[in-house]
Amino acid sequence: VQLQASGGGLVQAGGSLRLSCVASGRIFRVNTVGWYRQAPGKQRELVASTTSSSITDYADSVKGRFTISRDNAKKTVYLQMSSLKPEDTAVYYCNAAIQELPSRPVDRDYWGQGTQVTVSS
């Protein structure tokens, strides 16, 4: 199983970006997926998450600006980021709990490689 994160880039404050996280490989079901970020010198923090039934949760710092969504058929989770601020600058990672086999109802935890988001003032 692999997670591929993409969509990062350089954007001015107030701009928007959409990140994608695509899961591939031996997958029966992609369950909870989270987007995390880590800025230089700071701990990795959870930004947004979505369960397999699309129940979402957000960090207070991004509520009203970021939207997480998923396309289960494509095994893809998106993070739409709007009204970006310089403090949103970080490497963004996706994390997924994946059930690989229908006969084994156990999730394994996977991380994507990270995508850089830089917001200029």
Side-chain angles (χ1 to χ4, degrees):
V1 174
Q2 290 188 328
L3 291 183
Q4 182 72 38
S6 63
L10 174 64
V11 63
Q12 288 188 332
S16 298
L17 284 173
R18 189 177 80 157
L19 306 183
S20 298
C21 176
V22 182
S24 61
R26 185 177 67 179
I27 298 171
F28 171 67
R29 180 184 292 119
V30 179
N31 290 314
T32 297
V33 178
W35 280 100
Y36 291 74
R37 67 186 181 188
Q38 188 166 21
K42 295 189 177 181
Q43 289 189 330
R44 191 173 297 189
E45 63 173 347
L46 178 63
V47 174
S49 63
T50 175
T51 68
S52 56
S53 53
S54 297
I55 296 172
T56 60
D57 195 19
Y58 297 91
D60 287 343
S61 59
V62 306
K63 281 181 182 176
R65 301 188 298 120
F66 291 10
T67 302
I68 189 169
S69 61
R70 63 192 295 158
D71 183 333
N72 289 330
K74 294 182 178 180
K75 298 183 179 65
T76 301
V77 172
Y78 305 98
L79 184 68
Q80 178 67 48
M81 306 185 295
S82 303
S83 302
L84 282 162
K85 304 175 181 180
E87 51 263 44
D88 294 318
T89 296
V91 178
Y92 284 71
Y93 300 89
C94 58
N95 171 270
I98 293 175
Q99 181 181 347
E100 296 179 7
L101 299 172
S103 58
R104 295 183 62 191
V106 176
D107 290 346
R108 293 187 67 180
D109 196 57
Y110 292 91
W111 286 92
Q113 84 285 6
T115 185
Q116 176 71 47
V117 172
T118 303
V119 184
S120 62
S121 56

